[in-house]
Amino acid sequence: MAEISNMGTRRFGRVNWLGLYTLAVREMQRFMAVWTQTLLAPLVTAGLFMVIFSIAIGPRRGDVMGVDFTTFIAPGILMMTVIQNAFANTSSSIVISKVQGNIVDTLMPPLSAGELVLGYMAGGVGRGVLVALAIALGQFAVLGLVPAHPIWMMVFVVLGAAFLSGLGMVAGIFANKFDQMAAITNFVVTPLAFLSGTFYSVQALPPVLNEITHFNPIFYMIDGVRYGMIGVSDSSPWLGLGVGIGATLAISITALWMFARGYRLKA
């Protein structure tokens, strides 16, 4: 009877480290299995952005914030690619599991809501960091661009990937079909990424748009990476760090609540 009474209880301490590690590894292996799509393709896309904007605008644009236009947009393109891939990793993993009907394989193991959030986030951050390193090496090889403050750069890369991983979890849980996920990507994530100073300094915007941009947390992520790579930014990196941490905590708590309640996950 004692054995029966203990069934279903957590017998591995406050944190299921083995389960958390297994989920994180699964999420890593999921994108590494198709590395040509998840790592090589973003590198090619970032390179195309650099070439197109450099040819079309670079020669006539002049310096931006004291650096040439190509150097200025390099950090923005890197971070834009990172956040898109971090978002795609967590959102696609959850949506595919829901559509295929095997989300139960993730919900049934003895993993708490917090462990699920951390496990999925590990995959998104891992993919984002690998994409960032690949693009940074490419920009060094082509432009000779060496990060001015590498620690700041990596902090904002990880923070941005974590924030978009959390947002991807929330979007993946909310969406029940691929077209719903596509709508969130096209009408929320892409505009936030493109309208965050990726290709321009917000100082060039009209006052109203400038103020609106400062309510976008992705702006601070991109601005922080720009500071880390070329040493210039539109806002203080410390302010960006505070906003980034706050936004990441807020979206992580939202994902935690959704997992804990089984929102749109359990019939």
Side-chain angles (χ1 to χ4, degrees), residues 174-259:
F174 180 82
N176 286 325
K177 297 183 294 184
F178 289 114
D179 57 346
Q180 293 175 340
M181 193 69 254
I184 295 172
T185 302
N186 293 331
F187 297 113
V188 178
V189 178
T190 300
L192 286 176
F194 274 80
L195 300 177
S196 301
T198 302
F199 305 107
Y200 55 85
S201 168
V202 297
Q203 296 176 3
L205 295 175
V208 175
L209 291 179
N210 192 320
E211 291 296 323
I212 293 174
T213 300
H214 282 81
F215 286 96
N216 179 359
I218 297 179
F219 157 72
Y220 295 96
M221 312 290 185
I222 293 175
D223 201 49
V225 170
R226 179 169 287 129
Y227 174 79
M229 291 191 71
I230 61 177
V232 298
S233 60
D234 283 306
S235 64
S236 166
W238 290 104
L239 173 61
L241 183 63
V243 173
I245 292 174
T248 302
L249 286 175
I251 201 67
S252 298
I253 291 171
T254 302
L256 181 71
W257 177 86
M258 296 173 89
F259 274 121

Side-chain angles (χ1 to χ4, degrees), residues 57-77:
I57 302 176
R60 300 188 301 273
R61 181 64 175 82
D63 289 351
V64 182
M65 298 179 67
V67 297
D68 66 271
F69 181 71
T70 302
T71 301
F72 176 82
I73 65 172
I77 291 175

Side-chain angles (χ1 to χ4, degrees), residues 20-250:
L20 175 58
Y21 170 78
T22 303
L23 177 58
V25 170
R26 187 197 75 176
E27 290 301 297
M28 293 280 193
Q29 290 179 341
R30 198 179 70 86
F31 73 79
M32 288 299 294
V34 286
W35 65 272
T36 54
Q37 300 176 34
T38 57
L39 299 178
L40 182 60
L43 178 61
V44 173
T45 301
L48 289 174
F49 269 115
M50 291 290 299
V51 170
I52 291 170
F53 276 91
S54 298
I55 294 175
I57 302 176
R60 300 188 301 273
R61 181 64 175 82
D63 289 351
V64 182
M65 298 179 67
V67 297
D68 66 271
F69 181 71
T70 302
T71 301
F72 176 82
I73 65 172
I77 291 175
L78 181 148
M79 194 55 179
M80 181 186 69
T81 309
V82 167
I83 61 180
Q84 288 176 340
N85 280 268
F87 176 86
N89 203 73
T90 52
S91 61
S92 63
S93 180
I94 295 174
V95 169
I96 290 173
S97 294
K98 290 172 68 176
V99 171
Q100 292 180 344
N102 57 24
I103 187 68
V104 65
D105 295 336
T106 302
L107 300 178
M108 282 188 65
L111 290 168
S112 67
E115 290 159 358
L116 289 172
V117 169
L118 289 176
Y120 276 110
M121 187 173 287
V125 171
R127 179 172 168 180
V129 170
L130 288 177
V131 167
L133 291 176
I135 295 176
L137 287 174
Q139 292 176 346
F140 169 75
V142 176
L143 302 176
L145 186 58
V146 178
H149 308 286
I151 294 178
W152 275 110
M153 172 189 166
M154 289 308 303
V155 166
F156 278 103
V157 165
V158 172
L159 196 57
F163 173 65
L164 267 295
S165 295
L167 185 61
M169 281 184 273
V170 171
I173 294 171
F174 180 82
N176 286 325
K177 297 183 294 184
F178 289 114
D179 57 346
Q180 293 175 340
M181 193 69 254
I184 295 172
T185 302
N186 293 331
F187 297 113
V188 178
V189 178
T190 300
L192 286 176
F194 274 80
L195 300 177
S196 301
T198 302
F199 305 107
Y200 55 85
S201 168
V202 297
Q203 296 176 3
L205 295 175
V208 175
L209 291 179
N210 192 320
E211 291 296 323
I212 293 174
T213 300
H214 282 81
F215 286 96
N216 179 359
I218 297 179
F219 157 72
Y220 295 96
M221 312 290 185
I222 293 175
D223 201 49
V225 170
R226 179 169 287 129
Y227 174 79
M229 291 191 71
I230 61 177
V232 298
S233 60
D234 283 306
S235 64
S236 166
W238 290 104
L239 173 61
L241 183 63
V243 173
I245 292 174
T248 302
L249 286 175

